[in-house]
Amino acid sequence: MDEHKKEVNGSVVVVKNNCGETLILLNNRDPQKLELPGGGIKIGELPVNGAVRELRQETGIVISPHDLQLVGNFVFRERYGIVHLYEYKHAFTRILPEHTSHEVAEKRWMSDQEILTLSRAETYPAQQALIMHYLQWVRDSRKVAVTDFLSAPF
């Protein structure tokens, strides 16, 4: 089986700072692209615990599963399985912990508008789709977790 065709369930976290910006990571893969903190869920791991682990591994930010609120579950056809999107419920400062990760080349804060105008060369369309769902969820007063099916192209 082609490695890229395997379903890989994942968890992704939206972290906002006290200026309303979103934490975005420049990954260390080739090609380098901007993305939200997150990654694959280990076998037997709860999605929320995967989100906590990935956030710590990639950024050095240590939180509890109780600090996260589920935004939604998104089924990505093609390469990915289910992606669980969470929001960190507290505003973070602009100062991030000193932390080095082999997966991350750079951490930066970006406005929602900056993220939504990134090109396909700069980010994955799936990342922009997650941000668009997150922003709609915020506009809907964070009442109900979203479930949606997404297919490429996003």
Side-chain angles (χ1 to χ4, degrees):
M1 176 187 269
D2 181 357
E3 179 181 329
H4 295 289
K5 294 294 180 186
K6 289 191 289 186
E7 285 192 359
V8 178
N9 294 331
S11 290
V12 177
V13 182
V14 174
V15 177
K16 292 286 200 177
N17 67 21
N18 48 12
C19 298
E21 299 165 311
T22 301
L23 178 61
I24 298 292
L25 310 178
L26 179 64
N27 67 36
N28 254 338
R29 294 187 295 275
D30 185 22
Q32 287 185 309
K33 295 207 180 207
L34 296 165
E35 58 190 12
L36 294 165
I41 302 168
K42 294 180 178 182
I43 294 173
E45 183 176 47
L46 293 173
V48 69
N49 292 337
V52 168
R53 177 183 48 75
E54 286 289 342
L55 187 63
R56 183 185 72 252
Q57 286 176 352
E58 295 179 350
T59 68
I61 297 172
V62 179
I63 63 171
S64 158
H66 301 290
D67 294 324
L68 295 177
Q69 179 166 348
L70 180 65
V71 173
N73 304 298
F74 302 93
V75 178
F76 285 87
R77 297 182 183 136
E78 301 291 322
R79 181 173 178 183
Y80 306 106
I82 299 169
V83 176
H84 307 274
L85 179 62
Y86 293 92
E87 177 189 55
Y88 178 61
K89 293 191 281 189
H90 311 286
F92 207 82
T93 67
R94 293 199 84 212
I95 300 169
L96 294 167
E98 289 292 325
H99 179 75
T100 304
S101 167
H102 70 279
E103 298 178 49
V104 177
E106 179 184 330
K107 298 176 269 193
R108 64 176 79 155
W109 295 104
M110 296 179 75
S111 72
D112 296 330
Q113 188 59 39
E114 289 173 310
I115 295 167
L116 293 174
T117 58
L118 291 171
S119 71
R120 286 182 178 251
E122 297 171 295
T123 192
Y124 302 101
Q127 292 287 317
Q128 287 179 314
L130 289 171
I131 290 291
M132 287 190 298
H133 276 287
Y134 170 76
L135 295 174
Q136 182 62 50
W137 178 77
V138 170
R139 282 191 294 273
D140 291 342
S141 303
R142 298 177 164 94
K143 292 191 175 158
V144 179
V146 180
T147 299
D148 199 2
F149 297 89
L150 300 174
S151 297
F154 298 98

